[in-house]
Amino acid sequence: MTRTHIVALGGSLLRPEEAEKRQQWLGQLRQLIVHVEGNGGKLGIVVGGGLPAREGIELAKNIISDSEKLDEVGIAATRLNATILQQIFLDIGCNVAPSIPTTTGEASKLIDSYSIVVMGGTTPGHTTDAVAIALARDCGARNCVIATNVDYVYDKDPREHDDANPMFDISIDRLAEITGTEPLSPGQSAVVDPVAVGWARDASIDIAVLDGRDISLLDNALEGKEFSGTLIRSV
Ligand code: UTP
């Protein structure tokens, strides 16, 4: 049976500070896609909004207070980033879905016909982490990789606590204790979106959180090899 992998790709990964690193990272991601496709695998990529989402939400926030409307601004940014990756993969002749699906149901149908499907957000009230979990559920995948810009989930916020410890293998309930279960406000960030944590628990989906700045970690996780990062078990 063809293996379907689902990856949430943090939007910040698309735009490292140094321009040189951007090209390098995109090149390595492109190689990974070719590799997955070459091995007969299928890949659903859910891309975050990163800088354009933050900028757009900040700009609109001065005028709009309705959080659903601000979320729509964020969703538009995630689809911009999804389109950038989709076009890059199309350009090298990968078997990529030609549209950016707006629901996980639509995306899971596209995965039946294409090797690669790239999408962004869906509806207000969560981030693309939650979309990736929903896509894993809809595709019948048992796990989901969250590639972000931190190396591990820590027991407390490492930006505020010098004594924060990385965690390697934890239960979904432990993750829920750390993230809470309340939805984030538009543009707010957390190591894993609390809504995603709840959905993963409901659908019994394991999560791998890893540092997506290093594409080799993502490669290892997709190949089922050992990887540096935090494994979160739902069952
Ligand atoms: P992201 O998924 O990019 O948030 O959505 P993030 O994970 O915090 O940031 P990255 O991964 O570093 O890019 C950006 C914003 O878009 C809205 C929310 O307001 C979110 O904060 N959004 C996104 C939705 O409302 N629904 C979605 O399905 C996706």
Side-chain angles (χ1 to χ4, degrees):
M1 211 178 95
T2 308
R3 182 102 202 270
T4 302
H5 305 281
I6 306 301
V7 177
L9 214 51
S12 63
L13 298 173
L14 269 71
R15 292 173 186 74
E17 298 282 303
E18 299 149 49
E20 191 190 305
K21 289 221 168 113
R22 288 179 205 169
Q23 293 237 344
Q24 203 180 38
W25 185 85
L26 283 170
Q28 288 167 351
L29 180 69
R30 219 167 47 168
Q31 264 177 7
L32 177 138
I33 301 299
V34 170
H35 186 202
V36 170
E37 192 181 316
N39 286 340
K42 299 226 172 201
L43 184 59
I45 304 180
V46 184
V47 192
L51 187 64
R54 273 199 306 282
E55 276 183 356
I57 290 170
E58 271 311 307
L59 183 64
K61 231 184 197 171
N62 297 324
I63 301 159
I64 308 171
S65 57
D66 181 338
S67 70
E68 287 211 358
K69 292 193 173 75
L70 294 174
D71 280 343
E72 291 291 357
V73 173
I75 292 168
T78 65
R79 292 184 183 150
L80 165 70
N81 282 342
T83 306
I84 294 170
L85 292 189
Q86 177 216 29
Q87 292 300 320
I88 287 174
F89 304 150
L90 274 174
D91 187 58
I92 49 164
C94 289
N95 181 29
V96 186
S99 59
I100 301 291
T102 57
T103 67
T104 54
E106 195 190 328
S108 79
K109 283 200 190 100
L110 285 168
I111 287 185
D112 290 339
S113 312
Y114 297 91
S115 305
I116 317 289
V117 173
V118 190
M119 71 183 296
T122 52
T123 52
H126 51 256
T127 74
T128 44
D129 290 352
V131 176
I133 298 293
L135 181 56
R137 179 198 61 211
D138 292 354
C139 290
R142 295 270 41 95
N143 43 53
C144 177
V145 177
I146 296 187
T148 180
N149 58 4
V150 295
D151 50 2
Y152 295 97
V153 176
Y154 285 74
D155 57 354
K156 43 194 153 178
D157 190 338
R159 290 168 303 188
E160 289 168 19
H161 303 272
D162 288 341
D163 60 343
N165 293 308
M167 295 189 295
F168 307 107
D169 192 335
I170 58 172
S171 70
I172 194 85
D173 290 333
R174 178 73 183 104
L175 181 62
E177 280 171 17
I178 294 165
T179 60
T181 48
E182 285 300 304
L184 302 168
S185 43
Q188 196 189 351
S189 233
V191 61
V192 181
D193 175 0
V195 175
V197 178
W199 290 1
R201 181 156 57 185
D202 291 348
S204 302
I205 290 176
D206 293 341
I207 305 173
V209 173
L210 53 80
D211 190 339
R213 290 169 295 191
D214 181 351
I215 292 287
S216 72
L217 300 184
L218 183 55
D219 216 353
N220 285 346
L222 295 183
E223 293 233 329
K225 294 186 190 154
E226 236 178 79
F227 64 93
S228 309
T230 305
L231 177 63
I232 298 126
R233 297 180 194 269
S234 283
V235 278

